[in-house]
Amino acid sequence: MNVMAQSDLACSSQDDDERWMRQALALADRAEREYDEIPVGAILVGPEGGLLAEGWNFNIASHDPSAHAEIMAMREGGRRLGNHRLIGCTLYVTLEPCAMCAMAMVHARIARVVFAAGDPKTGACGSVFDLPADPRHNHRVQVQGGLLAAEASLRLTNYFRVKRGKPLLPG
């Protein structure tokens, strides 16, 4: 492959990443608007590059502590594939995954996770812990963070400001 083609491929991949993350942000908005959930959305893209599954936070409404956006997307993806392994899949999520979600990705053999906002309190993909890269696991997940982070962070900040009766920050 020549240098131009590699550059075009990288550009296309970045464009795809942004497109999928924007879709995850729309799911985060839906979680907040329709279910009064913390606005986190996730998109699972299959190995061939097409939409496999989507999810959003649903733990408050469902009274299920494991119903994070990532888990919801991976559950749907597993059902659609008929397999608990999600080999070659990419997970896009608007907030850095927690330890539960990061380990679920490792167990599912997710190839790559792309997240927007980092989580300095419970992030497990590089902020507080780095579970996907831990050499003790028999699978490692490639991690990319910070894509559209400001947009995702503002949604989360404003969600909690509303809950505390504070005015929204401008976008």
Side-chain angles (χ1 to χ4, degrees):
M1 188 184 293
N2 66 37
V3 175
M4 180 62 124
Q6 287 175 340
S7 174
D8 290 345
L9 182 61
C11 196
S12 174
S13 179
Q14 290 171 354
D15 291 345
D16 288 345
D17 286 350
E18 185 171 329
R19 178 173 57 94
W20 291 121
M21 187 61 75
R22 290 207 179 279
Q23 192 167 338
L25 287 166
L27 293 173
D29 290 342
R30 181 177 179 189
E32 181 177 9
R33 181 181 63 251
E34 294 181 20
Y35 303 101
D36 196 27
E37 292 280 350
I38 297 170
V40 179
I43 296 289
L44 184 65
V45 174
E48 304 303 319
L51 176 66
L52 183 59
E54 55 186 29
W56 53 86
N57 270 9
F58 200 61
N59 54 305
I60 296 169
S62 66
H63 311 291
D64 177 356
S66 69
H68 288 189
E70 303 94 317
I71 300 294
M72 301 299 286
M74 286 189 284
R75 283 178 184 161
E76 181 184 338
R79 281 190 296 270
R80 291 193 69 200
L81 290 175
N83 195 337
H84 68 289
R85 298 287 190 222
L86 303 171
I87 295 168
C89 292
T90 299
L91 184 66
Y92 294 87
V93 61
T94 60
L95 179 64
E96 180 182 358
C98 69
M100 173 184 69
C101 295
M103 285 310 301
M105 292 183 309
V106 170
H107 289 295
R109 306 298 192 263
I110 295 281
R112 181 171 169 246
V113 62
V114 179
F115 68 85
D119 186 345
K121 293 182 181 178
T122 63
C125 291
S127 291
V128 179
F129 306 105
D130 196 0
L131 295 174
D134 192 310
R136 294 170 290 187
H137 301 140
N138 61 356
H139 176 76
R140 277 166 266 329
V141 178
Q142 180 186 358
V143 175
Q144 177 187 341
L147 180 63
L148 303 178
E151 291 182 41
S153 293
L154 182 62
R155 280 171 173 77
L156 290 160
T157 297
N158 279 336
Y159 173 84
F160 289 110
R161 288 182 69 85
V162 165
K163 294 294 181 192
R164 295 179 181 109
K166 295 182 178 181
L168 297 178
L169 297 178

